[in-house]
Amino acid sequence: MAPSLKDLQLTQVVAGARYSPAIDDDSGDLEDVRLLDAYETSEGVEQGMKRIQVGVSGMTCAACSNSVEAALRSVNGILTASVALLQNKADVVFDPRLVKDEDIKNAIEDAGFEAEILPEPVAAGTKPHGTLLGQFSIGGMTCAACVNSVEGILRDLPGVKKAVVALATSLGEVEYDPNILSKDDIVNAIEDAGFEASFVQSSEQDKIMLGVSGIFTEIDAQFLEGILSNLKGVRQFHFDRNSRELEILFDPEVVNSRSLVYGIEGGSNGKFKLHVANPYTRITSKDVEEASNMFRLFLSSLFLSIPVFFIRVVCPHIPLLYSLLLWRCGPFEMGDWLKWVLVSLVQFVVGKRFYIAAGRALRNRSTNMDVLVALGTSASYFYSVYALLYGALTGFWSPTYFETSAMLITFVLLGKYLECLAKGKTSDAIKKLVELAPATAILIIKEKDGRCISEREIDALLIQPGDTLKVLPGAKLPADGMVVWGSSYVNESMVTGEAIPVLKELSSLVIGGTINLHGVLQIKATKVGSNTVLNQIISLVETAQMSKAPIQKFADFIASIFVPTVVTMSFLTLLGWYTAGALGAYPAEWLPENGNYFVFALMFSISVVVIACPCALGLATPTAVMVATGVGANNGVLIKGGDALERAQKVKYVIFDKTGTLTQGKATVTSAKVFTDMDRGEFLKLVASAEGSSEHPLAKAIVEYARHFHFFDDSSATKDGQNHSKDSTMPEWLFNVSEFSALPGKGVQCFIDGKQISVGNRKLMTECGIDIPTHVENYVIELEESAITGILVAFDGKLIGVVGVADPLKREAAVVVEGLGKMGVTPVMVTGDNWRTAQAVAEEVGIQDVRAEVMPAGKADVVRSFQRDGSIVAMVGDGINDSPALAAADVGMAIGAGTDIAIEAADYVLMRSNLEDVITAIDLSRKTFARIRLNYVFAMAYNVVAIPVAAGAVYPSLGIKLPPWAAGACMALSSISVVCSSLLLRRYKKPRLTTILEITVE
């Protein structure tokens, strides 16, 4: 039998490790690490313990090191402490449950020395282990109080850096240190608190979850484990015999996931068939299972409650049935026996979940909806039982309220079932995205010489980078990659929103999940698994739905104090009505038949407990955020969280980068003028050679223009002039250059045949000491006033010519700028280009505020300048140089066709690179928060009105009394009203620019 994942502990062997510069560039610390390793014991660090290294300053002799060691060893929880005087370091092994890193630092400083926690050393040749981001499914949460309880439990676990729990998705994300805590520990902690928990997925790259078919007996399971034990590269594995899921932790340097599958299937001679378990599919199935289970409980409660209600309301009007119910069987009438039995089944079998959930909440010193339901139903049930027993003993028969308990549980379960359905609707966006992912792929197996020898259909989740895949007409592209053979049109509307198919031919980039329309393609996979565009979109949407808007903190706080307040109000209601009755403050005619003042007061008290549930308050924000993120994804706007939504609805300024954002980002050369007797072709070849090593869009435009001018054939270049091959070299027709350097905000410099060439703006020419003649300056000014960038070229210390490059504006830019103004948002443009060109572009699009000649790092300063008065600022950009500004802005919006770094730094990703989506993002944010505020009005107004009515405040004047079962119905409907209000956001339609601009079309 193989050891379980929970029981195994991996240790690193460092004694024989050798230093490699490719692995560790900081060779200066290597000796220190080896010296400190001498203090390690052969047993290593015990399970659950943690080792850190601390830099200690101020030690001058052995007595100092002894003092530090003594100070550390006196701290409770520290197992060993060794101090290396020469290295000024301390090696400490401790129990993280008793001691924190900061406590160790404080102990050293209290001894009179300075201390600093050092980064964990990594042995050469080993993989560094940081924190993992794990996702867990959590069952049994019913309201915001449950969420707060689970989050508190997780955050108190040693090794947990961050924990976020979402009620709407029943998911939790935990960032934790795997060296201190395992996923099983997290699951156990959640279950110990009384909730259901299961692991979904983590950020580990060396783990795979497989579904296994073909296992029918224990012998089969042992056979599988035997195969795994003999496979090279398998570190740990665990087979769940109930779910038939196999979890494998492997060494990616020895074996990959596909080899594992082949090895297991081959080792079993085809007996076992494996498929990769998609975590998103597992989440979806759990949602369906939860809704199904809640519906089953509701039906059970309903079928048992209907006879009870029938006995109480209908049977007294049917003499024959009523006489049977009045037939005495032992100490009670037959009707009482039937109600007691039926309601007991509802109370303790169907309603068992409420007692379990209430118990775990109280055990965790918190209160939630389940506490209220358990309290209310128990009060009516046990009072009814008491009334029966009291009547049997004394002959005085008080009314019973069994139907109250049964109907209350039924209505609560109905509300929970409808909530499950509503929550399922809110996650439709993720489900649709998951359905877009291809299930299988055709792998082309080749010989070393590149010759195809066979094809094999594989699970799409087993694709590896570098695989060559065949894509048939009508099939989905199985991964992100590059076309290596064939040509076809591909429907990319999934990502771009554009219905027009895009031609894909040699070297074209393709996106996994898009549809091949006509021809056969062969692609080379470049991004697989979580790195694909589709999976990143899914991850962004899911993360956004997990996030909490700051406004939700208010709801969480209210929920945390709400239940104790309600219980207090219920007790005061009981005490008030009972005392008033005993003092004769209201007539005895108000009392129910055979009832007393206590029973009369108890019904009001139970109604207060039942109706004042904080569920609606807890659902107000997360359901709206979930729907909004899904709607945004469907409209090409990816939102990274509720906090981004909250900030975006208050945006006052939108700062646009110029190149690639307001413009198309596909620069073209409009003119090339030579001011010497140099041949024009030779001039262009010189400029292209200098710009050939640059990644700037203007540089690529110049190289492409020179190539066409000379009719050179460059098969590595695509139509837009961009080279997508990582292994490609400079085109052969260019001159050889040396000492190339790119100067941000200025241009480029290099040497050709020993002579320096400088290509850039005036600032570069000035720094190089090159004069700009008047006639050249006038020519450049003329270009700039026409929104054309003039690039100056100097060779061998003399200015020889100017290249004019223009980047056309996006067709929607001017209309979007005007639309933002109509929405009360001020547009601003920032660019590193010169003032004249920037001003010309700004005038064309209608932007009044322009910041030109801004260095890349200065864009963030521009953002901060608008934030000084407290204004909310959005930044829209696409390049690496926009990343600091995107991060500095209150709301960063990255153009989807931009760089990965820009997208990572942004709060919104505009997938279709269409500026109209800036308006959509702001408008959707505003409508979402208008809906959230309306939800809070529903939730708060409901409680403000309902609680006094339930407490009987209007009964003396209007005679209106809310029975407990009716209070239960109102409570369930309050949650549904909030969820349905959020679901109305699904009908959101992106604003039409004609409407925003108030344009009347004849």
Side-chain angles (χ1 to χ4, degrees):
M1 297 287 288
S4 69
L5 286 172
K6 185 176 179 181
D7 297 330
L8 277 180
Q9 182 189 8
L10 300 181
T11 57
Q12 296 177 349
V13 180
V14 296
R18 291 182 297 173
Y19 172 70
S20 170
I23 298 170
D24 189 351
D25 293 327
D26 191 5
S27 60
D29 286 343
L30 183 65
E31 184 178 352
D32 297 346
V33 174
R34 296 278 73 80
L35 286 171
L36 280 170
D37 286 343
Y39 288 96
E40 298 182 14
T41 62
S42 58
E43 292 81 12
V45 181
E46 295 177 9
Q47 186 169 5
M49 299 300 105
K50 182 181 178 183
R51 166 177 274 122
I52 64 169
Q53 290 184 2
V54 187
V56 185
S57 301
M59 295 189 299
T60 58
C61 63
C64 295
S65 62
N66 291 337
S67 298
V68 175
E69 284 187 1
L72 290 171
R73 288 170 180 167
S74 65
V75 177
N76 183 34
I78 292 182
L79 291 161
T80 63
S82 301
V83 178
L85 175 63
L86 296 179
Q87 288 77 42
N88 291 318
K89 291 182 181 179
D91 185 76
V92 186
V93 177
F94 62 100
D95 187 343
R97 292 165 294 187
L98 302 176
V99 184
K100 304 298 182 186
D101 294 10
E102 196 65 26
D103 297 332
I104 296 172
K105 179 182 175 184
N106 292 337
I108 297 174
E109 291 178 344
D110 289 342
F113 303 90
E114 296 179 4
E116 178 185 9
I117 305 298
L118 300 176
E120 186 175 345
V122 179
T126 62
K127 180 182 176 182
H129 290 278
T131 59
L132 291 179
L133 187 64
Q135 194 174 79
F136 299 83
S137 175
I138 303 172
M141 296 189 299
T142 55
C143 63
C146 298
V147 172
N148 292 338
S149 179
V150 176
E151 284 186 348
I153 291 164
L154 292 173
R155 287 169 181 166
D156 288 340
L157 292 175
V160 170
K161 308 294 183 184
K162 184 176 67 175
V164 179
V165 176
L167 174 64
T169 57
S170 297
L171 289 174
E173 277 191 353
V174 185
E175 183 181 346
Y176 64 99
D177 186 342
N179 296 317
I180 301 174
L181 194 69
S182 72
K183 70 178 189 310
D184 294 319
D185 295 330
I186 295 173
V187 170
N188 292 337
I190 298 171
E191 290 179 342
D192 288 344
F195 298 91
E196 299 171 3
S198 62
F199 173 74
V200 178
Q201 62 179 342
S202 79
S203 56
E204 285 182 302
Q205 299 298 313
D206 51 0
K207 184 178 64 177
I208 188 171
M209 294 287 292
L210 300 169
V212 186
S213 59
I215 295 182
F216 306 103
T217 65
E218 183 63 26
I219 295 176
D220 292 336
Q222 293 177 7
F223 181 35
L224 172 64
E225 291 172 344
I227 295 172
L228 288 164
S229 299
N230 293 323
L231 284 177
K232 292 182 178 180
V234 174
R235 290 173 171 168
Q236 302 172 21
F237 62 86
H238 175 68
F239 177 64
D240 189 322
R241 286 163 170 74
N242 296 322
S243 64
R244 293 292 191 273
E245 285 188 341
L246 174 63
E247 180 179 323
I248 304 176
L249 189 66
F250 60 93
D251 185 349
E253 296 180 1
V254 177
V255 67
N256 58 43
S257 55
R258 190 162 69 224
S259 300
L260 283 173
V261 172
Y262 290 170
I264 297 170
E265 290 182 344
S268 67
N269 294 322
K271 177 178 176 60
F272 303 141
K273 296 296 181 183
L274 283 75
H275 66 274
V276 182
N278 190 319
Y280 297 108
T281 304
R282 294 164 66 204
I283 294 172
T284 303
S285 64
K286 286 187 74 71
D287 291 341
V288 174
E289 182 182 347
E290 182 185 6
S292 174
N293 182 53
M294 202 58 66
F295 183 65
R296 180 180 56 80
L297 289 174
F298 164 67
L299 286 182
S300 301
S301 181
L302 181 65
F303 288 143
L304 291 170
S305 300
I306 287 176
V308 177
F309 189 77
F310 191 78
I311 291 171
R312 178 65 181 264
V313 178
V314 179
C315 286
H317 303 286
I318 305 175
L320 180 61
L321 287 177
Y322 194 56
S323 62
L324 291 174
L325 295 175
L326 293 177
W327 177 53
R328 186 166 294 278
C329 182
F332 310 124
E333 296 174 351
M334 181 59 69
D336 293 329
W337 280 113
L338 288 174
K339 287 190 291 184
W340 192 355
V341 171
L342 291 171
V343 174
S344 294
L345 292 173
V346 174
Q347 185 76 23
F348 301 111
V349 178
V350 178
K352 178 179 66 174
R353 66 185 304 276
F354 296 111
Y355 283 104
I356 294 173
R360 70 180 170 227
L362 294 174
R363 189 166 63 247
N364 293 320
R365 298 178 182 178
S366 65
T367 50
N368 58 16
M369 184 204 80
D370 298 296
V371 173
L372 296 180
V373 174
L375 190 61
T377 58
S378 296
S380 59
Y381 175 83
F382 286 110
Y383 168 77
S384 299
V385 172
Y386 166 78
L388 281 180
L389 295 175
Y390 184 79
L393 293 173
T394 65
F396 181 79
W397 299 92
S398 298
T400 60
Y401 295 93
F402 282 118
E403 69 281 351
T404 294
S405 175
M407 295 304 294
L408 175 56
I409 289 177
T410 301
F411 280 122
V412 172
L413 289 173
L414 172 61
K416 298 307 294 180
Y417 170 63
L418 293 177
E419 282 179 31
C420 288
L421 291 182
K423 283 193 274 186
K425 289 288 185 183
T426 60
S427 58
D428 278 351
I430 288 182
K431 293 176 185 176
K432 290 178 181 178
L433 289 169
V434 172
E435 290 170 358
L436 291 173
T440 60
I442 301 175
L443 175 67
I444 298 177
I445 302 172
K446 296 183 176 183
E447 291 280 9
K448 291 182 179 180
D449 60 1
R451 182 171 52 89
C452 174
I453 57 173
S454 66
E455 296 175 0
R456 177 173 181 174
E457 186 174 82
I458 63 170
D459 192 316
L461 295 173
L462 293 177
I463 297 172
Q464 303 289 333
D467 284 347
T468 302
L469 307 167
K470 182 178 181 180
V471 188
L472 300 174
K476 294 178 181 177
L477 286 126
D480 293 3
M482 182 193 305
V483 176
V484 294
W485 181 87
S487 65
S488 179
Y489 281 90
V490 174
N491 182 350
E492 293 186 337
S493 59
M494 172 196 84
V495 175
T496 64
E498 297 291 339
I500 301 174
V502 180
L503 176 64
K504 299 294 181 181
E505 46 193 2
L506 189 65
S507 298
S508 297
L509 297 179
V510 293
I511 301 172
T514 56
I515 301 173
N516 181 28
L517 297 180
H518 304 299
V520 176
L521 292 175
Q522 288 185 14
I523 68 168
K524 180 180 180 181
T526 55
K527 293 183 179 180
V528 300
S530 60
N531 294 322
T532 63
V533 169
L534 180 58
N535 275 322
Q536 287 177 351
I537 293 173
I538 294 173
S539 179
L540 281 174
V541 174
E542 188 183 39
T543 301
Q545 293 184 347
M546 285 286 301
S547 69
K548 291 184 179 182
I551 194 174
Q552 193 172 339
K553 294 178 182 177
F554 167 74
D556 291 345
F557 170 73
I558 295 296
S560 66
I561 63 172
F562 199 78
V563 176
T565 304
V566 169
V567 173
T568 303
M569 291 176 61
S570 173
F571 175 74
L572 292 176
T573 300
L574 173 64
L575 184 63
W577 277 105
Y578 179 74
T579 303
L583 297 175
Y586 55 83
E589 289 78 15
W590 286 7
L591 301 180
E593 185 179 356
N594 294 329
N596 54 37
Y597 293 114
F598 177 77
V599 175
F600 185 67
L602 181 63
M603 291 303 100
F604 285 119
S605 177
I606 293 174
S607 294
V608 170
V609 168
V610 171
I611 204 167
C613 174
C615 283
L617 198 64
L619 292 169
T621 299
T623 52
V625 170
M626 281 190 68
V627 176
T629 52
V631 168
N634 291 335
N635 285 278
V637 178
L638 296 183
I639 308 165
K640 291 190 179 179
D643 52 346
L645 274 167
E646 184 163 348
R647 293 193 300 270
Q649 49 113 16
K650 302 175 184 176
V651 165
K652 184 176 180 181
Y653 296 97
V654 174
I655 300 177
F656 290 97
D657 173 53
K658 180 177 77 71
T659 305
T661 303
L662 288 173
T663 64
Q664 295 178 13
K666 296 181 180 178
T668 55
V669 175
T670 59
S671 61
K673 189 169 179 112
V674 185
F675 293 99
T676 65
D677 56 358
M678 180 181 290
D679 178 72
R680 181 185 171 102
E682 186 73 5
F683 168 75
L684 287 174
K685 191 173 178 181
L686 273 173
V687 180
S689 299
E691 294 281 16
S693 299
S694 174
E695 292 294 321
H696 197 282
L698 299 184
K700 295 183 180 298
I702 292 172
V703 173
E704 184 69 6
Y705 182 80
R707 185 175 71 84
H708 282 291
F709 182 86
H710 286 284
F711 295 100
F712 285 122
D713 180 23
D714 184 6
S715 59
S716 66
T718 61
K719 286 188 174 182
D720 61 1
Q722 295 186 16
N723 189 338
H724 299 297
S725 175
K726 292 183 179 180
D727 300 326
S728 62
T729 57
M730 295 282 289
E732 295 180 357
W733 54 272
L734 294 177
F735 294 119
N736 291 323
V737 301
S738 61
E739 299 183 36
F740 174 86
S741 61
L743 307 171
K746 301 173 186 176
V748 299
Q749 281 184 331
C750 62
F751 284 86
I752 297 177
D753 293 335
K755 298 178 181 178
Q756 186 180 59
I757 180 170
S758 303
V759 182
N761 56 20
R762 296 180 182 86
K763 190 179 295 184
L764 178 61
M765 298 298 123
T766 301
E767 290 183 0
C768 294
I770 297 171
D771 294 329
I772 304 175
T774 303
H775 65 284
V776 176
E777 177 67 24
N778 292 336
Y779 177 74
V780 173
I781 291 173
E782 184 181 339
L783 290 176
E784 291 170 347
E785 289 175 345
S786 302
I788 299 173
T789 300
I791 299 176
L792 301 165
V793 182
F795 184 62
D796 197 19
K798 181 180 179 182
L799 197 146
I800 61 172
V802 175
V803 178
V805 181
D807 187 3
L809 285 170
K810 289 181 178 176
R811 59 186 181 183
E812 72 276 8
V815 184
V816 168
V817 167
E818 186 178 353
L820 287 171
K822 296 283 186 179
M823 295 172 69
V825 179
T826 303
V828 180
M829 188 183 81
V830 61
T831 178
D833 216 335
N834 63 80
W835 274 103
R836 290 190 184 88
T837 303
Q839 199 65 46
V841 171
E843 288 177 3
E844 196 170 346
V845 297
I847 292 178
Q848 303 297 321
D849 196 337
V850 182
R851 308 298 170 93
E853 297 183 4
V854 178
M855 296 290 286
K859 293 182 181 180
D861 295 329
V862 173
V863 170
R864 295 186 188 99
S865 68
F866 284 96
Q867 293 173 325
R868 286 182 187 135
D869 62 351
S871 299
I872 302 298
V873 179
M875 171 71 193
V876 187
D878 70 317
I880 292 175
N881 59 355
D882 297 324
S883 301
L886 289 169
D890 299 290
V891 181
M893 297 184 183
I895 298 294
T899 64
D900 292 340
I901 296 176
I903 292 172
E904 183 69 25
D907 301 297
Y908 284 73
V909 180
L910 313 181
M911 291 299 298
R912 296 183 294 199
S913 299
N914 191 318
L915 290 178
E916 292 180 31
D917 290 338
V918 174
I919 288 180
T920 301
I922 296 174
D923 182 68
L924 176 59
S925 301
R926 290 179 175 179
K927 284 186 168 57
T928 299
F929 264 79
R931 182 64 57 181
I932 288 173
R933 293 187 187 98
L934 183 61
N935 286 351
Y936 279 124
V937 170
F938 280 154
M940 299 296 288
Y942 158 80
N943 281 302
V944 168
V945 173
I947 291 178
V949 173
V954 298
Y955 183 70
S957 57
L958 302 177
I960 297 175
K961 182 168 64 174
L962 202 62
W965 66 266
C970 292
M971 183 270 291
L973 290 174
S974 71
S975 297
I976 300 306
S977 65
V978 167
V979 173
C980 290
S981 171
S982 295
L983 286 174
L984 288 175
L985 278 172
R986 286 162 54 91
R987 302 176 62 183
Y988 172 83
K989 300 293 183 184
K990 59 187 300 184
R992 297 175 59 186
L993 290 178
T994 52
T995 304
I996 295 175
L997 301 179
E998 299 175 352
I999 298 175
T1000 303
V1001 180
E1002 299 294 336

